[in-house]
Amino acid sequence: MSTGILIGIGAIVIVLAAIAALYNALVRGKNMVEEAWSSIDVQLKRRHDLVPNLVSAVRQYASHEKNLFDEISTARARSLSVQGDVAAQAKAEGMLSGALSRLFAVAEAYPELKASENYRQLQLSLASLEDEIQMARRYYNGAAREQNDRVRQFPGNIVAGFFHFAPATYFELDSPAERAVPDVSAQ
């Protein structure tokens, strides 16, 4: 065999190995993004399960706040209905966070409610969940950023395009009001 043929075969082997390595990195990145989204999803489900208990506790004291309770119920239902769509989920969660902020503002007007052990426990649970959701969002967005770098940078963009890897969507909230974490501090 001539030297030229050996060099050609060696070059083809190197190119194929590089493509395989890039493909595997893209698959690992996609799996990390999916795992990170699963972490967010778990925390959001825990939050959605807590919301009816919180609303029930406040409703006992502030029964005339029907519009707010309906808004929270609608926001929770919308959030549950958009599972899997990161952008829609972020928007729905922003609406739910805003409604919960208004719920806590209403609760401030009822000293008996604030003194209730059940209400305080629900506040603490929600505060803990909000922290866990924030950590899960950061992890997800970090995994999405790394995957997006792989998908968009050369030569990964060629391999990503050939194998149909798409950039990941960031979990972002639309407005500054939605970005504000509900104030759940027990006072």
Side-chain angles (χ1 to χ4, degrees):
M1 235 186 232
S2 75
T3 307
I5 293 175
L6 288 176
I7 291 174
I9 291 173
I12 290 171
V13 168
I14 289 172
V15 168
L16 290 176
I19 290 171
L22 288 169
Y23 177 82
N24 289 339
L26 288 164
V27 169
R28 270 192 310 278
K30 184 176 188 244
N31 289 340
M32 274 191 86
V33 168
E34 289 172 357
E35 176 211 352
W37 178 253
S38 177
S39 295
I40 289 176
D41 198 41
V42 166
Q43 298 307 325
L44 293 178
K45 284 180 180 155
R46 288 180 59 205
R47 180 190 201 199
H48 296 154
D49 291 344
L50 181 64
V51 167
N53 295 329
L54 190 58
V55 168
S56 178
V58 175
R59 183 176 277 149
Q60 293 173 7
Y61 292 90
S63 59
H64 62 280
E65 298 290 344
K66 182 176 179 348
N67 288 342
L68 178 59
F69 299 136
D70 290 344
E71 181 183 344
I72 291 170
S73 178
T74 301
R76 180 179 177 266
R78 181 172 292 137
S79 181
L80 289 169
S81 71
V82 294
Q83 300 295 315
D85 181 346
V86 176
Q89 185 82 43
K91 184 173 183 166
E93 287 302 319
M95 291 174 59
L96 181 57
S97 291
L100 288 174
S101 293
R102 287 187 292 285
L103 177 72
F104 287 114
V106 165
E108 288 297 314
Y110 298 92
E112 315 85 45
L113 173 62
K114 290 184 348 184
S116 162
E117 182 60 33
N118 183 37
Y119 178 73
R120 283 200 318 261
Q121 186 59 42
L122 289 168
Q123 273 188 316
L124 292 173
S125 295
L126 186 59
S128 174
L129 273 172
E130 291 296 334
D131 288 342
E132 291 176 32
I133 290 168
Q134 181 184 31
M135 287 186 304
R137 283 177 181 160
R138 276 189 295 215
Y139 177 69
Y140 171 82
N141 283 337
R145 183 193 66 244
E146 288 177 13
Q147 180 67 356
N148 290 346
D149 287 347
R150 286 183 201 97
V151 168
R152 292 178 176 143
Q153 291 177 346
F154 181 80
N157 60 346
I158 295 169
V159 175
F162 185 77
F163 290 105
H164 306 289
F165 283 92
T169 303
Y170 289 109
F171 192 100
E172 298 177 317
L173 300 176
D174 290 336
S175 72
E178 292 171 342
R179 286 185 182 103
V181 174
D183 181 11
V184 294
S185 59
Q187 296 178 349

